[in-house]
Amino acid sequence: MFTGIIEATGTITQLTHRGEDIRLTVDTGKLDMSDVELGDSIATNGVCLTVVDFSSGHYSADVSAETIRYTGFADYQVGSRVNLEKAMLPTTRFGGHIVSGHVDGVGTVSAIHEHSNYVEVWVQAPDELAKYIAHKGSITVDGVSLTVNKVDGATFMLWLIPHTLQETIIGTYKVGTKVNLEVDVVARYLERLLQGDQAAQPHKKDISMEFLAKHGFAKR
């Protein structure tokens, strides 16, 4: 579990392909590794990865084909910078929001506007995530806990202060940059809860006449 408050930025120094998976090595920069142990979790651009090797200045983790498929890791290269956050402790200040490190999809930076004391960034999210993104709600972008300031369909806007731009990789974003998105986990649970008893029923992909009639698209 994480909070979305980035502790450091790191740099990918090695990518080793192992079949469909990748062994990733990250230079951790100023991240304090003194309390890290094998098996610990480190959010890397918002993706929860398990430490399989480490030193005072690096860690390695295995990235599965499933993770590569649903995150921006497919485009990462040696030299790519990443946001880093170690898993939270019970005594950690909860400055962000609940972040699981399970990315829901990849968005695209669609516009950037610079203002006198902040930068306005617009992100195009996958259509299927639009229902989870709410005005003044929380969203995780490349591991950073942020507040949604405006929503227009599946596109949302962020106001970013200089500190966030300096302490994360967001300051390097350009139009077209791909970003990992994790929606607020509370929205996920609420969606499931609202299904009530129907949540126990197997998901049916086929659309029947009964289904259409029930939802007002056909006459019984």
Side-chain angles (χ1 to χ4, degrees):
M1 192 67 69
F2 307 92
T3 68
I5 303 300
I6 301 304
E7 298 176 84
T9 58
T11 304
I12 296 175
T13 59
Q14 189 173 354
L15 288 170
T16 304
H17 291 271
R18 299 184 172 191
E20 294 184 346
D21 299 345
I22 291 176
R23 170 66 62 89
L24 173 83
T25 300
V26 177
D27 181 319
T28 54
K30 67 177 184 179
L31 186 70
D32 181 9
M33 297 287 287
S34 63
D35 59 348
V36 172
E37 298 181 0
L38 289 178
D40 281 357
S41 297
I42 296 180
T44 307
N45 266 10
V47 181
C48 179
L49 296 180
T50 300
V51 174
V52 297
D53 181 56
F54 72 97
S55 71
S56 60
H58 90 279
Y59 70 90
S60 296
D62 293 324
V63 184
S64 70
E66 180 79 358
T67 299
I68 295 169
R69 188 175 299 116
Y70 289 102
T71 71
F73 273 97
D75 299 320
Y76 294 171
Q77 303 173 357
V78 170
S80 295
R81 292 180 59 204
V82 288
N83 293 321
L84 304 176
E85 181 191 355
K86 294 181 292 186
M88 65 182 295
L89 300 171
T91 55
T92 301
R93 283 192 177 93
F94 207 150
H97 72 283
I98 298 173
V99 177
S100 67
H102 302 154
V103 170
D104 293 299
V106 177
T108 304
V109 176
S110 58
I112 299 176
H113 305 292
E114 295 189 9
H115 299 270
S116 59
N117 58 351
Y118 70 93
V119 173
E120 177 184 326
V121 176
W122 287 85
V123 178
Q124 176 72 43
D127 288 349
E128 61 269 22
L129 298 186
K131 60 184 176 180
Y132 304 110
I133 302 172
H135 180 232
K136 295 303 179 181
S138 296
I139 193 164
T140 308
V141 180
D142 277 343
V144 184
S145 172
L146 296 169
T147 299
V148 176
N149 293 103
K150 289 184 181 179
V151 181
D152 183 6
T155 304
F156 63 93
M157 188 267 277
L158 308 165
W159 285 342
L160 301 166
I161 61 174
H163 178 79
T164 302
L165 298 172
Q166 293 166 7
E167 297 299 321
T168 73
I169 67 168
I170 294 179
T172 68
Y173 285 178
K174 300 176 181 179
V175 172
T177 296
K178 302 294 185 181
V179 295
N180 292 327
L181 301 177
E182 180 186 333
V183 299
D184 192 342
V185 66
V186 175
R188 287 288 194 189
Y189 283 117
L190 281 175
E191 179 186 39
R192 187 69 170 169
L193 181 64
L194 289 172
Q195 293 179 17
D197 293 340
Q198 294 182 358
Q201 303 302 316
H203 177 65
K204 295 182 179 180
K205 295 184 178 180
D206 295 332
I207 298 178
S208 64
M209 290 302 297
E210 181 181 356
F211 175 90
L212 293 174
K214 180 178 179 181
H215 291 84
F217 293 101
K219 294 182 178 180
R220 295 181 182 277

